[in-house]
Short mmCIF file of all heavy atoms in Angstrom, two decimals:
data_model
loop_
_atom_site.label_atom_id
_atom_site.label_comp_id
_atom_site.label_asym_id
_atom_site.label_seq_id
_atom_site.Cartn_x
_atom_site.Cartn_y
_atom_site.Cartn_z
N ARG T 265 27.48 183.04 -56.22
CA ARG T 265 28.76 183.10 -55.59
C ARG T 265 29.05 184.56 -55.02
O ARG T 265 29.56 184.70 -53.96
CB ARG T 265 29.87 182.83 -56.58
CG ARG T 265 30.06 181.33 -56.84
CD ARG T 265 31.26 181.16 -57.74
NE ARG T 265 31.18 179.90 -58.40
CZ ARG T 265 31.82 179.53 -59.48
NH1 ARG T 265 32.59 180.38 -60.12
NH2 ARG T 265 31.68 178.32 -60.02
N GLN T 266 28.63 185.53 -55.82
CA GLN T 266 28.76 186.96 -55.38
C GLN T 266 27.96 187.19 -54.12
O GLN T 266 28.45 187.80 -53.11
CB GLN T 266 28.36 187.90 -56.46
CG GLN T 266 28.66 189.30 -56.19
CD GLN T 266 28.21 190.27 -57.25
OE1 GLN T 266 27.12 190.09 -57.83
NE2 GLN T 266 29.05 191.20 -57.60
N LYS T 267 26.76 186.65 -54.07
CA LYS T 267 25.85 186.87 -52.91
C LYS T 267 26.48 186.19 -51.64
O LYS T 267 26.36 186.75 -50.58
CB LYS T 267 24.51 186.20 -53.16
CG LYS T 267 23.42 186.76 -52.32
CD LYS T 267 22.08 186.30 -52.82
CE LYS T 267 21.09 186.59 -51.73
NZ LYS T 267 19.91 185.83 -51.85
N ARG T 268 27.19 185.15 -51.81
CA ARG T 268 27.82 184.44 -50.67
C ARG T 268 29.18 185.15 -50.33
O ARG T 268 29.86 184.67 -49.42
CB ARG T 268 28.13 182.96 -50.99
CG ARG T 268 26.87 182.11 -51.11
CD ARG T 268 27.18 180.64 -51.03
NE ARG T 268 28.07 180.20 -52.13
CZ ARG T 268 27.61 179.68 -53.26
NH1 ARG T 268 26.32 179.48 -53.49
NH2 ARG T 268 28.47 179.29 -54.23
N GLY T 269 29.50 186.24 -51.11
CA GLY T 269 30.75 186.95 -50.80
C GLY T 269 31.99 186.23 -51.29
O GLY T 269 33.14 186.54 -50.87
N GLU T 270 31.85 185.22 -52.16
CA GLU T 270 32.95 184.51 -52.64
C GLU T 270 33.71 185.14 -53.81
O GLU T 270 34.86 184.75 -54.10
CB GLU T 270 32.55 183.07 -53.08
CG GLU T 270 32.02 182.24 -51.94
CD GLU T 270 31.33 180.96 -52.41
OE1 GLU T 270 31.37 180.71 -53.66
OE2 GLU T 270 30.70 180.32 -51.55
N MET T 271 33.09 186.12 -54.43
CA MET T 271 33.75 186.77 -55.53
C MET T 271 33.12 188.18 -55.83
O MET T 271 31.99 188.43 -55.29
CB MET T 271 33.68 185.96 -56.85
CG MET T 271 32.19 185.66 -57.24
SD MET T 271 32.16 185.10 -58.93
CE MET T 271 32.84 186.50 -59.79
N HIS T 272 33.76 188.92 -56.64
CA HIS T 272 33.21 190.26 -56.96
C HIS T 272 33.42 190.49 -58.47
O HIS T 272 34.28 189.88 -59.08
CB HIS T 272 34.06 191.35 -56.26
CG HIS T 272 33.90 191.21 -54.73
ND1 HIS T 272 32.75 191.47 -54.02
CD2 HIS T 272 34.81 190.73 -53.84
CE1 HIS T 272 32.95 191.21 -52.77
NE2 HIS T 272 34.19 190.83 -52.59
N GLU T 273 32.56 191.36 -58.97
CA GLU T 273 32.74 191.77 -60.37
C GLU T 273 34.09 192.46 -60.56
O GLU T 273 34.63 193.01 -59.60
CB GLU T 273 31.64 192.76 -60.72
CG GLU T 273 30.96 192.43 -62.07
CD GLU T 273 29.63 193.15 -62.22
OE1 GLU T 273 29.59 194.30 -62.00
OE2 GLU T 273 28.67 192.47 -62.61
N SER T 274 34.61 192.48 -61.82
CA SER T 274 35.91 193.12 -62.03
C SER T 274 35.75 194.63 -61.77
O SER T 274 34.69 195.20 -62.00
CB SER T 274 36.29 193.02 -63.51
OG SER T 274 36.55 191.76 -63.84
N PRO T 275 36.79 195.22 -61.21
CA PRO T 275 36.71 196.71 -61.08
C PRO T 275 36.51 197.46 -62.35
O PRO T 275 36.94 196.97 -63.39
CB PRO T 275 38.04 197.06 -60.39
CG PRO T 275 38.91 195.89 -60.60
CD PRO T 275 38.11 194.67 -60.87
N GLU T 276 35.89 198.59 -62.31
CA GLU T 276 35.60 199.39 -63.46
C GLU T 276 36.82 199.68 -64.35
O GLU T 276 36.79 199.72 -65.54
CB GLU T 276 34.93 200.71 -63.06
CG GLU T 276 33.90 201.18 -64.05
CD GLU T 276 33.15 202.38 -63.44
OE1 GLU T 276 32.56 202.13 -62.38
OE2 GLU T 276 33.14 203.41 -64.13
N ASP T 277 37.92 200.03 -63.65
CA ASP T 277 39.08 200.35 -64.39
C ASP T 277 39.62 199.21 -65.24
O ASP T 277 40.15 199.37 -66.33
CB ASP T 277 40.24 201.00 -63.55
CG ASP T 277 40.71 200.09 -62.45
OD1 ASP T 277 40.01 199.05 -62.21
OD2 ASP T 277 41.70 200.39 -61.82
N MET T 278 39.40 197.97 -64.73
CA MET T 278 39.86 196.83 -65.52
C MET T 278 38.93 196.61 -66.69
O MET T 278 39.39 196.35 -67.81
CB MET T 278 39.78 195.53 -64.63
CG MET T 278 40.17 194.33 -65.35
SD MET T 278 40.04 192.87 -64.26
CE MET T 278 39.99 191.49 -65.41
N TYR T 279 37.62 196.81 -66.47
CA TYR T 279 36.62 196.69 -67.57
C TYR T 279 37.03 197.70 -68.70
O TYR T 279 37.10 197.36 -69.86
CB TYR T 279 35.24 197.11 -67.02
CG TYR T 279 34.07 196.81 -67.93
CD1 TYR T 279 33.26 195.67 -67.82
CD2 TYR T 279 33.78 197.75 -68.94
CE1 TYR T 279 32.25 195.42 -68.66
CE2 TYR T 279 32.70 197.54 -69.83
CZ TYR T 279 31.93 196.37 -69.64
OH TYR T 279 30.90 196.15 -70.51
N GLU T 280 37.35 198.96 -68.30
CA GLU T 280 37.67 199.96 -69.31
C GLU T 280 38.99 199.67 -70.01
O GLU T 280 39.08 199.75 -71.24
CB GLU T 280 37.79 201.32 -68.58
CG GLU T 280 36.47 201.80 -68.02
CD GLU T 280 36.39 203.28 -67.78
OE1 GLU T 280 37.32 204.00 -68.19
OE2 GLU T 280 35.44 203.73 -67.17
N HIS T 281 39.96 199.26 -69.20
CA HIS T 281 41.30 198.90 -69.76
C HIS T 281 41.12 197.83 -70.84
O HIS T 281 41.69 197.99 -71.96
CB HIS T 281 42.32 198.52 -68.67
CG HIS T 281 43.49 197.86 -69.22
ND1 HIS T 281 44.52 198.58 -69.84
CD2 HIS T 281 43.84 196.50 -69.41
CE1 HIS T 281 45.45 197.71 -70.29
NE2 HIS T 281 45.00 196.47 -70.04
N GLU T 282 40.47 196.79 -70.52
CA GLU T 282 40.38 195.62 -71.49
C GLU T 282 39.58 195.97 -72.69
O GLU T 282 39.91 195.62 -73.81
CB GLU T 282 39.82 194.42 -70.75
CG GLU T 282 40.72 193.88 -69.64
CD GLU T 282 40.42 192.51 -69.10
OE1 GLU T 282 39.37 191.92 -69.46
OE2 GLU T 282 41.23 192.01 -68.30
N PHE T 283 38.52 196.72 -72.54
CA PHE T 283 37.72 197.15 -73.70
C PHE T 283 38.57 198.08 -74.63
O PHE T 283 38.58 197.86 -75.84
CB PHE T 283 36.48 197.92 -73.20
CG PHE T 283 35.59 198.43 -74.30
CD1 PHE T 283 34.71 197.60 -74.96
CD2 PHE T 283 35.61 199.82 -74.62
CE1 PHE T 283 33.86 198.09 -75.96
CE2 PHE T 283 34.79 200.27 -75.61
CZ PHE T 283 33.89 199.44 -76.29
N LEU T 284 39.22 199.03 -74.01
CA LEU T 284 40.02 199.98 -74.84
C LEU T 284 41.25 199.32 -75.49
O LEU T 284 41.64 199.62 -76.60
CB LEU T 284 40.45 201.19 -73.95
CG LEU T 284 39.29 202.11 -73.53
CD1 LEU T 284 39.79 203.15 -72.57
CD2 LEU T 284 38.56 202.72 -74.70
N TYR T 285 41.78 198.34 -74.74
CA TYR T 285 42.90 197.59 -75.34
C TYR T 285 42.44 196.83 -76.59
O TYR T 285 43.14 196.91 -77.64
CB TYR T 285 43.42 196.57 -74.25
CG TYR T 285 44.51 195.66 -74.80
CD1 TYR T 285 45.82 196.15 -74.82
CD2 TYR T 285 44.27 194.45 -75.40
CE1 TYR T 285 46.89 195.35 -75.33
CE2 TYR T 285 45.23 193.67 -75.96
CZ TYR T 285 46.57 194.10 -75.92
OH TYR T 285 47.52 193.33 -76.49
N ALA T 286 41.30 196.16 -76.46
CA ALA T 286 40.80 195.40 -77.68
C ALA T 286 40.48 196.41 -78.79
O ALA T 286 40.80 196.12 -79.97
CB ALA T 286 39.58 194.63 -77.26
N HIS T 287 39.92 197.55 -78.49
CA HIS T 287 39.66 198.53 -79.44
C HIS T 287 40.89 198.99 -80.17
O HIS T 287 40.94 198.99 -81.40
CB HIS T 287 38.96 199.77 -78.78
CG HIS T 287 38.90 200.91 -79.72
ND1 HIS T 287 37.93 201.15 -80.70
CD2 HIS T 287 39.75 202.01 -79.82
CE1 HIS T 287 38.22 202.23 -81.36
NE2 HIS T 287 39.31 202.80 -80.86
N ASP T 288 41.97 199.31 -79.47
CA ASP T 288 43.20 199.72 -80.00
C ASP T 288 43.80 198.70 -80.89
O ASP T 288 44.18 198.94 -82.07
CB ASP T 288 44.16 200.18 -78.92
CG ASP T 288 43.73 201.42 -78.24
OD1 ASP T 288 42.86 202.18 -78.70
OD2 ASP T 288 44.31 201.75 -77.18
N VAL T 289 43.90 197.45 -80.41
CA VAL T 289 44.63 196.44 -81.11
C VAL T 289 43.80 195.99 -82.37
O VAL T 289 44.41 195.82 -83.48
CB VAL T 289 44.85 195.18 -80.19
CG1 VAL T 289 45.48 194.06 -81.00
CG2 VAL T 289 45.82 195.62 -79.08
N LEU T 290 42.54 195.85 -82.24
CA LEU T 290 41.72 195.41 -83.38
C LEU T 290 41.69 196.54 -84.45
O LEU T 290 41.79 196.24 -85.67
CB LEU T 290 40.32 194.95 -82.96
CG LEU T 290 40.27 193.65 -82.15
CD1 LEU T 290 38.93 193.49 -81.49
CD2 LEU T 290 40.60 192.47 -83.07
N SER T 291 41.55 197.80 -84.00
CA SER T 291 41.51 198.89 -85.01
C SER T 291 42.88 198.98 -85.72
O SER T 291 42.85 199.10 -86.95
CB SER T 291 41.27 200.16 -84.30
OG SER T 291 40.03 200.14 -83.56
N GLU T 292 43.92 198.78 -85.01
CA GLU T 292 45.24 198.77 -85.58
C GLU T 292 45.43 197.70 -86.65
O GLU T 292 46.09 197.85 -87.67
CB GLU T 292 46.32 198.66 -84.45
CG GLU T 292 47.72 198.62 -84.85
CD GLU T 292 48.28 199.95 -85.29
OE1 GLU T 292 47.64 200.97 -84.97
OE2 GLU T 292 49.25 199.99 -86.04
N ALA T 293 44.76 196.61 -86.39
CA ALA T 293 44.85 195.42 -87.32
C ALA T 293 43.88 195.57 -88.47
O ALA T 293 43.81 194.61 -89.28
CB ALA T 293 44.54 194.14 -86.55
N GLY T 294 43.17 196.66 -88.62
CA GLY T 294 42.30 196.91 -89.74
C GLY T 294 40.82 196.57 -89.54
O GLY T 294 40.09 196.62 -90.55
N PHE T 295 40.46 196.29 -88.31
CA PHE T 295 39.04 196.10 -88.06
C PHE T 295 38.35 197.39 -87.86
O PHE T 295 38.87 198.34 -87.23
CB PHE T 295 38.81 195.20 -86.84
CG PHE T 295 39.08 193.71 -87.02
CD1 PHE T 295 40.37 193.22 -87.04
CD2 PHE T 295 37.99 192.86 -87.26
CE1 PHE T 295 40.59 191.90 -87.21
CE2 PHE T 295 38.28 191.49 -87.48
CZ PHE T 295 39.60 191.03 -87.45
N GLU T 296 37.09 197.48 -88.29
CA GLU T 296 36.28 198.67 -87.98
C GLU T 296 35.46 198.36 -86.74
O GLU T 296 34.74 197.33 -86.64
CB GLU T 296 35.34 198.97 -89.19
CG GLU T 296 34.42 200.15 -88.94
CD GLU T 296 33.34 200.25 -89.99
OE1 GLU T 296 32.84 199.19 -90.46
OE2 GLU T 296 32.97 201.40 -90.29
N HIS T 297 35.59 199.16 -85.73
CA HIS T 297 34.78 199.03 -84.53
C HIS T 297 33.44 199.74 -84.83
O HIS T 297 33.23 200.93 -84.65
CB HIS T 297 35.47 199.77 -83.33
CG HIS T 297 34.94 199.46 -82.04
ND1 HIS T 297 35.51 199.81 -80.85
CD2 HIS T 297 33.74 198.79 -81.69
CE1 HIS T 297 34.77 199.38 -79.81
NE2 HIS T 297 33.73 198.77 -80.32
N TYR T 298 32.48 198.93 -85.39
CA TYR T 298 31.30 199.55 -86.01
C TYR T 298 30.10 199.57 -85.13
O TYR T 298 29.11 200.27 -85.43
CB TYR T 298 30.95 198.80 -87.35
CG TYR T 298 30.39 197.42 -87.22
CD1 TYR T 298 29.03 197.22 -87.31
CD2 TYR T 298 31.16 196.35 -87.02
CE1 TYR T 298 28.45 195.94 -87.23
CE2 TYR T 298 30.62 195.07 -86.87
CZ TYR T 298 29.27 194.88 -86.98
OH TYR T 298 28.77 193.61 -86.92
N GLU T 299 30.20 198.87 -84.01
CA GLU T 299 29.10 198.94 -83.02
C GLU T 299 29.79 198.69 -81.66
O GLU T 299 30.88 198.13 -81.58
CB GLU T 299 28.10 197.84 -83.30
CG GLU T 299 26.75 198.01 -82.54
CD GLU T 299 26.74 197.18 -81.30
OE1 GLU T 299 27.60 196.28 -81.10
OE2 GLU T 299 25.86 197.40 -80.47
N VAL T 300 29.16 199.18 -80.64
CA VAL T 300 29.81 199.14 -79.27
C VAL T 300 30.48 197.83 -78.95
O VAL T 300 31.66 197.86 -78.45
CB VAL T 300 28.77 199.57 -78.19
CG1 VAL T 300 27.55 198.68 -78.18
CG2 VAL T 300 29.39 199.52 -76.82
N SER T 301 29.92 196.71 -79.44
CA SER T 301 30.56 195.41 -79.08
C SER T 301 31.04 194.68 -80.28
O SER T 301 31.43 193.53 -80.11
CB SER T 301 29.45 194.47 -78.41
OG SER T 301 28.84 195.11 -77.31
N ASN T 302 31.08 195.27 -81.43
CA ASN T 302 31.36 194.49 -82.68
C ASN T 302 32.42 195.18 -83.55
O ASN T 302 32.39 196.40 -83.76
CB ASN T 302 30.11 194.24 -83.47
CG ASN T 302 29.22 193.24 -82.74
OD1 ASN T 302 29.46 192.06 -82.79
ND2 ASN T 302 28.19 193.73 -82.03
N PHE T 303 33.26 194.31 -84.10
CA PHE T 303 34.34 194.73 -85.00
C PHE T 303 34.28 193.88 -86.31
O PHE T 303 34.08 192.70 -86.21
CB PHE T 303 35.71 194.46 -84.32
CG PHE T 303 35.96 195.14 -83.08
CD1 PHE T 303 35.34 194.71 -81.87
CD2 PHE T 303 36.83 196.30 -83.00
CE1 PHE T 303 35.61 195.36 -80.70
CE2 PHE T 303 37.11 196.88 -81.82
CZ PHE T 303 36.53 196.47 -80.69
N ALA T 304 34.49 194.53 -87.43
CA ALA T 304 34.44 193.77 -88.69
C ALA T 304 35.49 194.22 -89.64
O ALA T 304 35.88 195.41 -89.70
CB ALA T 304 33.07 194.00 -89.35
N ARG T 305 35.94 193.31 -90.44
CA ARG T 305 36.75 193.60 -91.64
C ARG T 305 35.78 194.25 -92.64
O ARG T 305 34.57 194.02 -92.63
CB ARG T 305 37.41 192.41 -92.22
CG ARG T 305 38.42 191.77 -91.27
CD ARG T 305 39.80 191.83 -91.87
NE ARG T 305 40.76 191.30 -90.95
CZ ARG T 305 41.85 191.98 -90.57
NH1 ARG T 305 42.09 193.21 -90.97
NH2 ARG T 305 42.73 191.44 -89.77
N GLU T 306 36.37 194.91 -93.64
CA GLU T 306 35.58 195.57 -94.64
C GLU T 306 34.56 194.64 -95.24
O GLU T 306 34.92 193.49 -95.63
CB GLU T 306 36.39 196.23 -95.71
CG GLU T 306 35.68 197.28 -96.48
CD GLU T 306 36.53 197.91 -97.59
OE1 GLU T 306 37.77 197.79 -97.45
OE2 GLU T 306 35.95 198.51 -98.47
N GLY T 307 33.31 195.00 -95.32
CA GLY T 307 32.26 194.21 -95.97
C GLY T 307 31.72 193.10 -95.17
O GLY T 307 31.01 192.21 -95.68
N THR T 308 32.14 192.97 -93.90
CA THR T 308 31.78 191.76 -93.11
C THR T 308 30.95 192.12 -91.81
O THR T 308 30.92 191.31 -90.90
CB THR T 308 32.92 190.79 -92.75
OG1 THR T 308 33.82 191.62 -92.02
CG2 THR T 308 33.59 190.25 -93.99
N ARG T 309 30.39 193.31 -91.81
CA ARG T 309 29.58 193.66 -90.68
C ARG T 309 28.41 192.59 -90.68
O ARG T 309 27.99 192.09 -91.69
CB ARG T 309 28.85 194.98 -90.85
CG ARG T 309 29.79 196.19 -90.68
CD ARG T 309 28.97 197.47 -90.79
NE ARG T 309 29.72 198.69 -90.75
CZ ARG T 309 29.23 199.91 -90.60
NH1 ARG T 309 27.91 200.05 -90.55
NH2 ARG T 309 30.02 200.94 -90.58
N SER T 310 27.94 192.30 -89.44
CA SER T 310 26.76 191.38 -89.34
C SER T 310 25.57 192.10 -89.90
O SER T 310 25.11 193.10 -89.39
CB SER T 310 26.56 191.01 -87.88
OG SER T 310 25.23 190.48 -87.73
N ARG T 311 25.08 191.50 -91.01
CA ARG T 311 23.89 192.19 -91.66
C ARG T 311 22.70 192.03 -90.79
O ARG T 311 21.76 192.85 -90.70
CB ARG T 311 23.65 191.59 -93.03
CG ARG T 311 24.66 192.14 -94.08
CD ARG T 311 24.12 191.79 -95.48
NE ARG T 311 24.78 190.66 -95.99
CZ ARG T 311 24.30 189.77 -96.86
NH1 ARG T 311 23.05 189.90 -97.26
NH2 ARG T 311 24.97 188.78 -97.33
N HIS T 312 22.57 190.86 -90.10
CA HIS T 312 21.42 190.60 -89.29
C HIS T 312 21.38 191.50 -88.08
O HIS T 312 20.39 192.24 -87.81
CB HIS T 312 21.43 189.12 -88.79
CG HIS T 312 20.18 188.74 -88.01
ND1 HIS T 312 19.03 188.36 -88.63
CD2 HIS T 312 19.94 188.76 -86.70
CE1 HIS T 312 18.15 188.13 -87.73
NE2 HIS T 312 18.63 188.40 -86.54
#
Side-chain angles (χ1 to χ4, degrees):
R265 282 186 200 160
Q266 187 181 42
K267 201 171 167 199
R268 292 196 296 267
E270 293 168 7
M271 61 163 299
H272 301 287
E273 227 163 48
S274 292
E276 210 171 305
D277 59 348
M278 176 180 164
Y279 189 100
E280 294 199 10
H281 164 77
E282 293 192 354
F283 178 78
L284 294 174
Y285 176 84
H287 166 82
D288 289 346
V289 172
L290 291 167
S291 303
E292 179 72 21
F295 283 82
E296 180 190 34
H297 193 170
Y298 72 101
E299 192 267 347
V300 55
S301 303
N302 288 284
F303 299 75
R305 295 245 178 236
E306 198 179 342
T308 60
R309 289 185 184 190
S310 163
R311 284 193 261 151
H312 184 85

